[in-house]
Amino acid sequence: MSVALQLSGVTNTYKSGVSALKGIDLTVAEGDFFALLGPNGAGKSTLMSVLYGFYAADSGSIAIFEQPANIRNSDDAIALGIGMVHQHFMLVDTLTALENVMLPLELRGERNARALATEMLGRVGLGARLGHYPKLLSGGEQQRVALARAFVVRPALLLADELTGSLDHATGESVMQLMF
C-alpha cells in the first residue's frame, strides 16, 4: 500500500513568535482514516492549515502520494488532490450554497459543475437549500455545504477539522457514510 501523506520535521511559527508546530513527523497510508486528538491550542488546526496551504511550513517536508509537495496556497492543495473541510467552514458569503459547492469544480474547469454540485448537495440533505446564502443557513447546514464542497471533487486526500462538530447525531452518521 502506498503512502498518502508523509510529513518530516514540519515546523510552523506564528508572526508573534509562538511555535505552533515543532518538528511534526507523520505517515498516513493510502486508505487510512485517522484522527488528531489533543487539547485546544495543541496545533491540530494549524497542522491542517499547513497541509491545505493556509499557512506555510517554516521547515520540514511534506509528500503527497510519495511526491514532494510544495503547498503554498489552497490552489496548490487542490491541484495535489487534497480536499479540506475547515472547522469554520470557509464558505464564500456572497455565493449561494450551490455556487459554493460549484466553485472548486469551476476552478478546475469541470463542464458539469452545476449538476455535480446539485447532486452532492442533495446527498447531504440540502437539495431544497441550493439558492440560500450562508447567512441564511444554520451552522449544521453550513457545515454540510462545506462537506459537499470537499466531497464533490472526490479528493485523493480529505482533511477535515471537526468533521461533524455542528451536526446532529443522525446527520453526522449519514455524512460519515457518504464520506466512506
Side-chain angles (χ1 to χ4, degrees):
M1 188 169 285
S2 68
V3 174
L5 174 65
Q6 184 157 23
L7 284 70
S8 298
V10 172
T11 65
N12 177 269
T13 303
Y14 292 122
K15 290 179 183 178
S16 64
V18 173
S19 292
L21 304 175
K22 300 177 185 176
I24 302 297
D25 296 319
L26 174 68
T27 301
V28 179
E30 184 177 0
D32 277 0
F33 176 87
F34 77 99
L36 294 174
L37 304 174
N40 292 343
K44 300 177 303 291
S45 294
T46 299
L47 178 59
M48 300 290 271
S49 292
V50 166
L51 290 172
Y52 203 67
F54 293 141
Y55 303 144
D58 297 326
S59 63
S61 65
I62 300 171
I64 307 292
F65 293 100
E66 302 178 25
Q67 299 297 314
N70 184 15
I71 305 170
R72 298 173 312 266
N73 56 51
S74 58
D75 290 342
D76 291 341
I78 291 168
L80 290 166
I82 301 173
M84 170 76 169
V85 180
H86 195 276
Q87 68 177 334
H88 300 293
F89 315 138
M90 307 294 270
L91 300 177
V92 180
D93 291 337
T94 57
L95 299 179
T96 64
L98 178 61
E99 292 165 339
N100 265 284
V101 177
M102 288 173 57
L103 185 60
L105 294 168
E106 290 178 331
L107 290 174
R108 72 177 194 191
E110 189 74 44
R111 288 180 151 171
N112 55 347
R114 178 174 296 277
L116 291 170
T118 300
E119 177 188 352
M120 187 56 68
L121 282 164
R123 292 181 73 187
V124 298
L126 293 175
R129 309 283 278 168
L130 302 178
H132 288 74
Y133 290 92
K135 68 182 178 185
L136 300 175
L137 300 172
S138 71
E141 289 172 327
Q142 289 179 30
Q143 185 161 23
R144 286 185 280 157
V145 171
L147 289 162
R149 185 178 56 196
F151 293 165
V152 77
V153 295
R154 298 191 165 284
L157 178 65
L158 177 64
L159 307 173
D161 196 352
E162 300 187 22
L163 178 64
T164 59
S166 295
L167 304 179
D168 61 77
H169 180 73
T171 304
E173 287 290 321
S174 71
V175 162
M176 294 300 286
Q177 291 301 315
L178 178 60
M179 184 173 69
F180 291 111

